[in-house]
């Protein structure tokens, strides 16, 4: 079972367009049959959140500048059906993009995982040691796009 909600707000700000979107979801449920009947479903966070803030403003004829900040968060859940390993209980990620657009072209700079958040993606305790995998660290770059 689950429930999800999302809201978007738009307005004019300083000569440009601002759009803010926030969302949240709550998931639950249990395995119904078999060896793990009654246990929580694996890889299903209890709560997830998302947000996005977009701003675009024309700076010259047919040229506009834009900024986007988006992110997500997660709380709760278990890694495996046997319930021995919890998902990394809380993390929040955010990404930033900024650039300019003109007919057929975009030039964008970006930073993903801008807050340098670190969390376990996978954790498996074993008799000989733990196997752990972490998320990607902060990455950044420049993107040029042409549309025809």
């Amino acid at each position: 079972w689950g429930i999800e909600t999302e809201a978007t707000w738009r307005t004019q700000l300083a000569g440009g367009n601002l759009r803010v979107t926030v969302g949240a979801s709550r998931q639950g449920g249990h395995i119904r049959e078999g060896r793990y009947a009654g246990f929580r479903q694996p890889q299903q966070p209890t709560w997830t959140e998302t947000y996005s803030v977009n701003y675009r403003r024309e700076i010259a004829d047919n040229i506009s500048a834009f900024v986007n900040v988006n992110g997500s968060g997660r709380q709760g859940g278990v890694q495996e059906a046997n319930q021995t390993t919890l998902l990394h209980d809380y993390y929040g990620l955010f990404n930033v993009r900024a650039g300019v657009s003109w007919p057929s072209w975009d030039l964008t700079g970006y930073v993903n995982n801008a807050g340098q958040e670190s969390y376990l993606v996978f954790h498996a305790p074993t008799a000989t040691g733990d196997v752990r995998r972490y998320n990607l660290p902060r990455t950044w770059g420049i993107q040029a796009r042409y549309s025809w």
Side-chain angles (χ1 to χ4, degrees):
W1 62 267
I3 186 167
E4 181 176 336
T5 185
E6 183 177 280
T8 299
W9 176 65
R10 295 173 191 230
T11 190
Q12 298 285 315
L13 179 68
N17 295 312
L18 176 69
R19 184 180 73 230
V20 178
T21 302
V22 295
S25 67
R26 168 77 167 94
Q27 295 81 223
H30 293 82
I31 298 171
R32 298 176 110 174
E33 295 180 16
R35 177 180 177 185
Y36 298 112
F39 285 29
R40 293 185 287 176
Q41 296 181 95
Q43 297 292 322
Q44 177 182 289
T46 306
W47 288 95
T48 59
E49 307 86 34
T50 60
Y51 66 89
S52 177
V53 179
N54 294 288
Y55 182 73
R56 181 175 289 270
R57 183 175 192 273
E58 190 167 313
I59 55 175
D61 284 340
N62 292 321
I63 299 174
S64 59
F66 59 88
V67 175
N68 169 267
V69 178
N70 67 65
S72 62
R74 172 181 88 183
Q75 294 89 43
V78 294
Q79 175 99 13
E80 302 295 335
N82 65 11
Q83 317 289 286
T84 58
T85 308
L86 298 177
L87 288 173
H88 192 93
D89 189 37
Y90 177 80
Y91 72 84
L93 297 176
F94 72 97
N95 308 309
V96 180
R97 298 177 64 80
V100 293
S101 294
W102 59 97
S104 300
W105 286 94
D106 284 346
L107 183 61
T108 307
Y110 65 88
V111 180
N112 292 335
N113 191 6
Q116 190 70 320
E117 184 75 29
S118 178
Y119 63 93
L120 282 170
V121 175
F122 177 80
H123 179 207
T126 67
T128 58
D130 286 354
V131 175
R132 295 174 186 234
R133 281 185 235 143
Y134 289 88
N135 64 303
L136 291 172
R138 178 184 301 134
T139 56
W140 54 272
I142 298 173
Q143 178 183 28
R145 184 179 72 165
Y146 178 78
S147 300
W148 58 89

